[in-house]
């Protein structure tokens, strides 16, 4: 089916490689191919190189995709495997998100050797997190807690926690599950209280829009339900011009032919938050995401995002 190996572009972290291997394994099973039919190409991104500053200060989430997308456009790779939450809302011309794998657990995981939950941490405890959304939501629930920047891949963050650099951290449950590290989770945060990042738990595959052969291969592993949910979430994010500089959370869920979406925008210090939600037909996923985004924009007023 594929005269040359299908080249799968990915970042080089253990989690990124696990996601690339999952994509390869699903394609192997769907098409009856051996692993020789695929080549995993590791690409170092700006986000991987910059470890000493918050991403919000140096360009936001596009730092994890720019070099990989350049390789796609230059035809050095055939597909790119990403964490959906890393994807900017606007993609380069000629590229598209053309497949989504079945979504993993969307929740944030609380990890700590000192407490069983966020609420059980002692006053003045230190939590490490590089996510503005998590920082703001932690502050909203526990304004007494000190939140410090916490960059590095998942294994680095676990090591820092074990060495006592912080009292606790929050990580995506999906990443821990994909690496077989679910035993590290102390507890899981309820999405009713702690909305995840847009796209959290979902692996997306980016490819060239005009690459018919590759699109045909990907169709066999595409999960339509995940795409419907992500369509709503990404439409919501696009309305708010969301980036790593804005604490935003959003989650779409499906129940039969109905889609429910809830979104939140916060001040970075958690002192103010606005939430909105809407339910409608799955066919209206994008419309629902846009509607919730516009409702939040109206409630916040023109100065809210500028102040963040």
């Amino acid at each position: 089916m594929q005269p040359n190996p299908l080249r799968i572009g990915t970042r080089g972290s253990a989690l990124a490689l696990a996601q690339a291997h999952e994509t390869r394994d699903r394609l192997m099973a769907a098409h009856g191919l051996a692993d020789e039919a695929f080549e995993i190409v590791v690409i170092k991104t700006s986000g991987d190189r910059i470890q000493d500053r918050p991403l919000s200060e140096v360009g936001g989430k596009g730092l994890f995709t720019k070099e990989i997308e350049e390789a796609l456009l230059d035809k050095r790779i055939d597909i790119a495997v990403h964490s959906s939450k890393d994807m900017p809302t606007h993609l380069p011309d000629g590229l598209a998100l053309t497949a989504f794998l079945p979504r993993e657990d969307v929740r944030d995981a609380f990890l700590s050797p000192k407490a069983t939950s966020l609420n059980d941490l002692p006053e003045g405890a230190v939590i490490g997190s590089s996510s503005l959304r998590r920082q703001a939501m932690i502050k909203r629930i526990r304004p007494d807690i000190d939140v410090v920047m916490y960059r590095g891949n998942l294994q680095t963050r676990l090591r820092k926690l074990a060495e006592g650099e912080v009292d606790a951290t929050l990580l995506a449950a999906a990443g821990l599950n994909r690496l077989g590290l679910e035993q590290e989770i102390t507890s899981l945060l309820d999405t009713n209280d702690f909305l995840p990042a847009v796209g959290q738990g979902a692996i997306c595959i980016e490819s060239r829009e005009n690459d018919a052969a590759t699109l045909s291969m990907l169709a066999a592993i595409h999960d339509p339900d995940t795409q419907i949910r992500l369509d709503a979430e990404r439409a919501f994010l696009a309305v708010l011009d969301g980036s790593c500089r804005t604490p935003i959370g959003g989650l779409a869920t499906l129940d039969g032919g109905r889609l429910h979406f809830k979104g939140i925008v916060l001040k970075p210090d958690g002192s103010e938050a606005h939430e909105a939600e809407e339910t409608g037909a799955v066919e209206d996923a994008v419309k629902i995401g846009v509607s919730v985004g516009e409702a939040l924009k109206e409630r916040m007023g023109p100065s809210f995002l500028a102040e963040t």
Side-chain angles (χ1 to χ4, degrees):
M1 180 184 297
Q2 194 79 11
N4 299 308
L6 185 84
R7 297 161 300 174
I8 302 172
T10 177
R11 294 166 59 201
S13 71
L15 178 56
L17 289 170
Q19 294 179 162
H21 283 105
E22 180 178 341
T23 302
R24 180 201 63 186
D25 293 348
R26 287 178 180 272
L27 285 168
M28 286 170 57
H31 297 288
L33 295 170
D35 58 7
E36 292 82 15
F38 303 90
E39 178 187 356
I40 291 179
V41 180
V42 174
I43 298 169
K44 193 155 191 173
T45 69
S46 302
D48 297 312
R49 284 192 289 268
I50 300 168
Q51 293 290 328
D52 59 341
R53 287 164 287 168
L55 292 179
S56 55
E57 293 180 4
V58 287
K61 60 177 64 181
L63 292 172
F64 286 126
T65 60
K66 179 175 177 287
E67 287 85 355
I68 298 175
E69 289 175 332
E70 288 171 352
L72 259 181
L73 290 168
D74 293 344
K75 298 187 178 181
R76 286 178 280 133
I77 58 173
D78 301 300
I79 65 173
V81 178
H82 304 283
S83 295
S84 294
K85 68 177 183 177
D86 288 340
M87 296 304 293
T89 51
H90 301 290
L91 304 181
D93 290 343
L95 301 183
L97 301 185
T98 48
F100 292 91
L101 302 189
R103 199 170 193 175
E104 241 279 6
D105 195 327
V106 301
R107 291 174 291 181
D108 286 300
F110 175 81
L111 287 74
S112 175
K114 300 182 178 179
T116 57
S117 70
L118 182 59
N119 287 324
D120 290 335
L121 280 170
E123 186 173 340
V126 178
I127 293 186
S129 177
S130 60
S131 158
L132 287 187
R133 173 190 60 88
R134 289 181 181 135
Q135 292 172 10
M137 295 189 83
I138 291 166
K139 287 290 192 181
R140 184 189 186 202
I141 297 169
R142 289 290 306 272
D144 62 292
I145 280 178
D146 185 20
V147 186
V148 298
M149 190 186 80
Y150 202 58
R151 291 292 312 282
N153 63 33
L154 192 147
Q155 284 79 5
T156 299
R157 298 184 201 197
L158 290 176
R159 176 180 54 76
K160 289 179 178 180
L161 178 65
E163 291 172 354
E165 190 171 311
V166 293
D167 298 313
T169 189
L170 300 184
L171 298 170
L176 291 160
N177 292 343
R178 287 192 174 107
L179 288 174
L181 295 171
E182 54 270 21
Q183 72 277 2
E184 302 287 342
I185 298 173
T186 306
S187 59
L188 292 162
L189 285 84
D190 191 323
T191 57
N192 289 319
D193 306 316
F194 212 96
L195 274 176
V198 162
Q200 187 157 304
I203 296 171
C204 64
I205 301 168
E206 188 178 20
S207 62
R208 294 182 292 275
E209 289 179 306
N210 63 358
D211 186 350
T214 298
L215 294 177
S216 177
M217 284 190 75
L218 293 175
I221 64 169
H222 174 60
D223 184 65
D225 285 355
T226 299
Q227 178 173 0
I228 290 166
R229 295 170 68 183
L230 268 290
D231 282 348
E233 293 178 22
R234 287 177 59 77
F236 163 75
L237 198 63
V239 168
L240 296 170
D241 193 27
S243 71
C244 284
R245 294 179 291 277
T246 312
I248 295 175
L251 179 64
T253 54
L254 297 178
D255 184 6
R258 307 289 285 174
L259 178 141
H260 177 261
F261 180 77
K262 182 178 182 181
I264 187 170
V265 180
L266 308 96
K267 289 281 182 74
D269 64 359
S271 61
E272 185 180 346
H274 296 276
E275 297 177 86
E277 54 191 308
E278 190 172 316
T279 301
V282 294
E283 295 82 4
D284 295 327
V286 171
K287 194 182 298 183
I288 292 167
V290 168
S291 177
V292 172
E294 289 177 343
L296 284 183
K297 257 190 166 178
E298 188 175 338
R299 289 182 200 177
M300 292 183 299
S303 63
F304 187 90
L305 287 178
E307 290 170 6
T308 63

